[in-house]
Each structure stands twice: as structure tokens, then as C-alpha cells.
């Protein structure tokens, strides 16, 4: 019987749609930056942002097979590119502004909250391990009422590496003293979640949601598969194990 349930966030617990490519989104951020005498056009700001992402990824490849960016550092670069300096607080605020401007849908999937309550009532320990930016995801989990169910959270942005990198799974297990043999990872992505967990020697439940890439196939077979995003099936399958 599993004692530890480790969850992905987006596409698993949370249904989200963002648009980081619409120039109107970037124009809103341009307007915010103008209050700090940091002047860009929407096209220039968009190009600067993605060039900074690419640079961080290239630098991260020196240490990790699957590096992760930190959007707070990217926000600092946006200021520095115009000869300005931003504190971490200001850079975090800018990153969160961009997230707010680019988010078109953010909601908890059906039956997620009740299933988490059911697992807690069964005295299971719940954790999150997600490819996510702390400055976005922590407030979103709080806003959606989910954070309170979890004993610990690993945000990939804090460590510079992302799933399916086994190092991120190992970090979570070491930090939270998780026994892999007593644990199961639950996620919607065939590569980052299924293959990442299996390569890390953790059982995986693959829940297929509207954000799952159905054309991509995992290299490894998951222990369990749940179709059509039926979150209630998680408790039905795993609480009797």
C-alpha cells in the first residue's frame, strides 16, 4: 500500500491555458514597465524575454540534462537590458504581472479536491513535484485552495532542473524523506511524468487529461493508467492497494 502520493500540478490537478505569444499580452507588460522608466516595444520585450529563456537553458545544460529557467531572473534581465536594476521583490512582481496578463483559464479539475480530502482521511502523505515557477504556482495553488493539502512542494524553478530529470525526483525524496518503494507519482505527461518517475524507480499513475499530448508515448509503461481525467479513479485504484 502506498504511503506517499506525489502529484504534478498543471494538467493533473489544475486545468490551465496561457498565451505567451499574443502581442497584446506583451503590450500590457510594456505599460507596466513604463512606470519604472523601462521602455520597450511589445515586439522587443517579447524577443528579450525568450532570448533570456534560451540563454538560461543553455547555461543550465552545463549542470543538468533537463534544465529549468527562473522567470524572476528573467525579469531582472529585462530591467538590466535597459540599464535599470530590479530588486527580487520587484522582479517577482513583474513576473506575476506577466502571468496574470497571459492566463486565460485557471481552474481545479473536477473531483480533485474531494479526492485529496479522501487521501488525507486515509492518512496518506501528499506532495507536489512539478515543472513550475514558484512565483506563479505557489499563489495559484493558494488561490485554488489546494496548497493546504500538501506536506511539501518542489518547484523546478528553485533547483534549475526539470522533469524528467531524475535529479529532481531524488531531490524531493531526500528533502521530504520519501521512501520510493512506498510512493507513487501521479501526472498527465507521458514524458516528464511517466518516464521521469519510472526512470527514478517510482511507480507512476498516468492520468490522461485535456492537456495530455496523446501523440506522445511514454518510453516506460506506467503502473496504472486513468483515462478521461477521471480523478476519482485515483482513490478507487490506490486506496485498496
Amino acid at each position: 500500500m502506498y504511503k506517499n502520493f506525489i502529484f504534478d500540478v498543471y494538467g493533473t490537478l489544475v486545468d490551465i491555458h496561457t498565451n505567451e505569444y499574443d502581442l497584446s499580452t506583451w503590450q500590457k507588460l510594456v505599460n507596466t514597465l513604463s512606470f519604472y522608466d523601462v521602455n520597450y516595444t511589445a515586439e522587443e520585450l517579447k524577443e528579450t524575454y525568450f532570448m533570456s529563456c534560451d540563454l538560461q537553458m543553455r547555461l543550465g545544460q552545463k549542470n543538468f540534462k533537463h534544465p529549468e529557467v527562473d522567470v524572476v531572473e528573467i525579469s531582472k534581465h529585462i530591467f538590466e537590458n535597459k540599464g535599470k536594476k530590479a530588486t527580487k521583490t520587484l522582479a517577482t512582481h513583474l513576473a506575476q504581472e506577466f502571468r496574470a496578463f497571459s492566463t486565460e483559464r485557471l481552474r481545479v479539475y473536477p473531483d480533485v479536491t474531494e479526492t485529496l480530502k479522501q487521501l488525507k482521511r486515509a492518512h496518506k502523505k501528499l506532495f507536489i513535484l512539478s515543472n513550475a515557477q514558484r512565483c506563479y504556482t505557489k499563489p495559484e495553488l493558494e488561490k485554488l485552495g489546494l496548497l493546504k493539502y500538501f506536506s511539501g512542494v518542489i518547484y523546478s524553478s528553485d533547483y534549475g532542473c526539470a522533469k524528467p530529470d531524475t535529479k529532481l525526483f531524488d531531490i524531493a525524496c531526500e528533502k521530504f524523506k520519501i521512501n520510493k518503494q512506498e510512493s507513487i507519482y501521479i501526472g498527465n505527461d507521458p514524458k516528464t511524468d511517466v518516464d521521469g518517475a519510472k526512470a527514478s524507480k517510482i511507480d507512476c499513475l498516468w492520468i490522461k487529461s485535456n492537456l495530455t499530448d496523446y501523440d506522445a508515448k511514454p518510453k516506460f509503461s506506467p503502473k496504472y493508467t486513468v483515462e478521461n481525467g477521471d480523478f476519482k479513479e485515483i482513490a478507487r485504484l490506490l486506496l485498496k492497494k
Side-chain angles (χ1 to χ4, degrees):
M1 181 179 292
Y2 298 112
K3 295 181 179 179
N4 307 302
F5 289 65
I6 312 168
F7 290 87
D8 172 51
V9 174
Y10 302 110
T12 301
L13 301 171
V14 176
D15 183 17
I16 189 170
H17 183 263
T18 61
N19 186 348
E20 291 88 6
Y21 297 96
D22 190 334
L23 275 185
S24 66
T25 297
W26 293 100
Q27 184 58 51
K28 292 175 184 177
L29 201 62
V30 164
N31 296 340
T32 296
L33 284 165
S34 68
F35 286 102
Y36 302 97
D37 196 28
V38 176
N39 300 306
Y40 283 91
T41 65
E43 283 278 10
E44 182 188 13
L45 182 57
K46 178 182 175 182
E47 182 179 356
T48 300
Y49 178 89
F50 285 113
M51 285 180 64
S52 184
C53 287
D54 289 342
L55 176 60
Q56 279 199 19
M57 291 294 282
R58 290 198 301 272
L59 292 174
Q61 287 173 349
K62 296 178 181 179
N63 299 311
F64 301 107
K65 186 176 181 180
H66 300 280
E68 176 65 287
V69 302
D70 182 343
V71 294
V72 174
E73 291 301 315
I74 291 171
S75 293
K76 287 182 180 179
H77 177 255
I78 285 170
F79 278 84
E80 291 166 357
N81 193 50
K82 293 295 184 177
K84 305 289 184 178
K85 287 188 176 181
T87 63
K88 183 176 180 180
T89 299
L90 179 55
T92 299
H93 173 70
L94 184 71
Q96 291 172 336
E97 285 271 278
F98 177 64
R99 179 67 158 192
F101 295 150
S102 62
T103 299
E104 298 177 352
R105 183 178 71 247
L106 181 73
R107 61 194 179 195
V108 180
Y109 281 114
D111 302 310
V112 164
T113 301
E114 183 52 45
T115 300
L116 296 178
K117 288 179 180 178
Q118 191 175 352
L119 293 173
K120 293 290 282 186
R121 287 195 295 266
H123 306 292
K124 305 302 180 183
K125 289 187 177 180
L126 309 185
F127 301 93
I128 283 173
L129 170 59
S130 188
N131 287 353
Q133 299 291 318
R134 174 185 284 272
C135 71
Y136 297 164
T137 304
K138 184 178 179 182
E140 287 173 353
L141 289 170
E142 290 174 336
K143 175 184 177 181
L144 295 170
L146 296 178
L147 194 59
K148 61 187 177 184
Y149 296 108
F150 295 92
S151 299
V153 182
I154 294 291
Y155 306 98
S156 58
S157 65
D158 288 350
Y159 299 95
C161 66
K163 299 176 299 178
D165 203 315
T166 58
K167 290 183 180 180
L168 198 62
F169 289 88
D170 291 341
I171 286 168
C173 292
E174 182 177 348
K175 182 173 182 179
F176 302 129
K177 296 180 173 55
I178 295 171
N179 184 327
K180 292 183 178 182
Q181 283 68 47
E182 298 176 340
S183 307
I184 187 162
Y185 189 83
I186 298 159
N188 75 293
D189 190 277
K191 299 298 183 183
T192 61
D193 296 332
V194 178
D195 288 346
K198 295 293 287 184
S200 301
K201 302 187 186 310
I202 301 173
D203 284 351
C204 183
L205 183 150
W206 183 18
I207 182 167
K208 297 182 181 180
S209 73
N210 63 315
L211 296 182
T212 297
D213 182 357
Y214 285 85
D215 292 328
K217 303 299 181 185
K219 178 181 177 181
F220 302 107
S221 297
K223 185 78 170 180
Y224 307 97
T225 301
V226 171
E227 304 286 348
N228 303 318
D230 184 2
F231 215 83
K232 289 182 292 186
E233 186 66 15
I234 292 173
R236 286 197 291 263
L237 273 173
L238 301 181
L239 286 183
K240 62 185 179 181
K241 298 295 179 183

